[in-house]
């Protein structure tokens, strides 16, 4: 069966602060024989502006996103929050513009978070056999807010982790409790954000896992920063790094 060409949507934080995550995702898709396209003129999806109440600016970024991605077969992104923006908030932004709304719905229907695309579209259930990956160690998993609550994606990343050879998944308490990042929230309310990430880090440490895995670089960056400042050796890894065989 000929698989569609995947258009890569690499969100801002991966592009600027965690390019290894994007590289790992590409390597995973290459091993599955997926053809890929990367539009070099892609920019922010508009989520930071939208979350801060700047709807006009968010709509401008959203229109550009639609212009760039509307002819794609499938759009795959290693970020639940950005996919949530495209799937849900674009429909809100353009609810009074019928032509733009139709475009937004079409793009929303073919935009996928990375683990969702692997499991639900490509049928990846055995990472060892299908991807040749292995991770010898114990990890815990953080459910990021937009991914778990907004998109309902909880099973897919766990399925991939549980079936990775050598890996032991230890569930933390309240795995879906917010880490306190929230984009501009961490800047506007630093004391509250710090208290929240302290709670999150403690639940991670309580598991005894050597790494915390997630699907959103924003959360992982926040968690890793706090772990590092505490002097902890626990690492924060994007699931793409595990599946690409680069986490261990």
């Amino acid at each position: 069966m000929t698989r569609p060409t995947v258009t890569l949507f690499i969100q801002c934080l991966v592009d600027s602060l965690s390019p290894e995550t994007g590289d790992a995702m590409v390597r995973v898709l290459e091993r599955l024989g997926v053809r890929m396209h990367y539009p070099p003129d892609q920019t922010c999806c508009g989520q930071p502006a939208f979350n801060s109440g700047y709807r006009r600016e968010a709509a401008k970024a959203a229109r550009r996103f639609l212009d760039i991605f509307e002819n794609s077969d499938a759009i795959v992104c290693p970020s639940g929050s950005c996919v949530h923006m495209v799937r849900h908030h674009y429909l809100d932004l353009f609810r009074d513009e019928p032509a733009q709304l139709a475009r937004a719905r079409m793009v929303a229907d073919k935009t996928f978070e990375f683990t969702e695309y692997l499991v639900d579209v490509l049928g990846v259930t055995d990472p060892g056999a299908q991807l040749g990956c292995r991770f010898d160690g114990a990890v815990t998993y953080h459910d990021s807010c937009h991914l778990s609550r907004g998109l309902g994606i909880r099973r897919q990343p766990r399925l991939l982790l549980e079936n990775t050879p050598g890996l032991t998944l230890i569930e933390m308490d309240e795995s879906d409790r917010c880490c306190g990042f929230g984009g501009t929230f961490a800047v506007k309310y630093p004391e509250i954000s710090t208290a929240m990430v302290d709670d999150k880090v403690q639940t991670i440490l309580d598991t005894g896992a050597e790494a915390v895995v997630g699907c959103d670089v924003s959360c992982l960056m926040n968690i890793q920063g706090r772990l590092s400042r505490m002097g902890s050796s626990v690492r924060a890894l994007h699931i793409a790094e595990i599946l690409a065989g680069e986490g261990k």
Side-chain angles (χ1 to χ4, degrees):
M1 180 180 67
T2 302
R3 289 173 174 165
T5 298
V6 162
T7 301
L8 302 176
F9 168 31
I10 306 299
Q11 80 272 30
C12 305
L13 287 179
V14 167
D15 182 53
S16 58
L17 298 175
S18 186
E20 63 275 10
T21 298
D23 291 341
M25 183 175 75
V26 167
R27 278 189 276 277
V28 169
L29 293 174
E30 283 178 338
R31 290 175 192 171
L32 294 168
V34 174
R35 296 175 298 176
M36 285 168 279
H37 171 61
Y38 175 79
D41 53 347
Q42 63 180 273
T43 55
C44 180
C45 66
Q47 181 187 184
F50 182 84
N51 289 346
S52 297
Y54 296 100
R55 296 175 68 93
R56 182 185 305 170
E57 290 78 5
K60 183 177 181 180
R63 287 189 184 91
R64 178 171 174 79
F65 186 94
L66 297 179
D67 289 342
I68 293 169
F69 287 97
E70 66 178 333
N71 293 322
S72 303
D73 293 328
I75 303 153
V76 177
C77 175
S79 166
S81 61
C82 294
V83 171
H84 183 266
M85 176 70 188
V86 174
R87 277 200 195 162
H88 296 283
H89 294 314
Y90 278 16
L91 306 184
D92 183 32
L93 281 174
F94 299 124
R95 62 186 175 187
D96 297 324
E97 301 178 47
Q100 294 295 335
L101 181 59
R103 296 174 70 207
R105 282 183 175 141
M106 178 183 66
V107 169
D109 288 343
K110 55 186 177 182
T111 301
F112 301 90
E113 184 271 333
F114 176 56
T115 64
E116 175 190 31
Y117 191 75
L118 290 182
V119 174
D120 296 346
V121 179
L122 298 185
V124 177
T125 57
D126 186 349
Q130 293 170 278
L131 300 174
C133 67
R134 182 179 183 87
F135 184 96
D136 292 309
V139 308
T140 191
Y141 178 74
H142 165 64
D143 285 289
S144 50
C145 298
H146 285 108
L147 185 73
S148 60
R149 297 188 185 93
L151 297 175
I153 296 174
R154 301 179 182 88
R155 174 186 61 87
Q156 296 90 330
R158 284 180 169 83
L159 176 68
L160 294 169
L161 292 173
E162 289 168 351
N163 292 333
T164 295
L167 186 149
T168 299
L169 176 62
I170 304 173
E171 291 285 358
M172 72 174 87
D173 290 336
E174 297 183 291
S175 63
D176 61 351
R177 175 185 284 192
C178 180
C179 73
F181 180 68
T184 56
F185 176 84
V187 177
K188 292 179 178 178
Y189 305 101
E191 295 85 2
I192 300 174
S193 175
T194 298
M196 293 173 71
V197 75
D198 280 346
D199 288 343
K200 170 60 67 172
V201 164
Q202 189 57 57
T203 62
I204 292 168
L205 296 176
D206 287 346
T207 68
E210 62 189 81
V212 54
V213 178
C215 297
D216 279 86
V217 164
S218 54
C219 298
L220 295 171
M221 178 179 67
N222 191 42
I223 293 169
Q224 183 68 78
R226 198 59 178 160
L227 286 167
S228 298
R229 288 190 292 275
M230 294 172 60
S232 172
S233 61
V234 174
R235 296 177 295 159
L237 300 171
H238 192 281
I239 195 169
E241 297 176 84
I242 296 283
L243 298 177
E246 298 163 7
K248 184 73 170 178

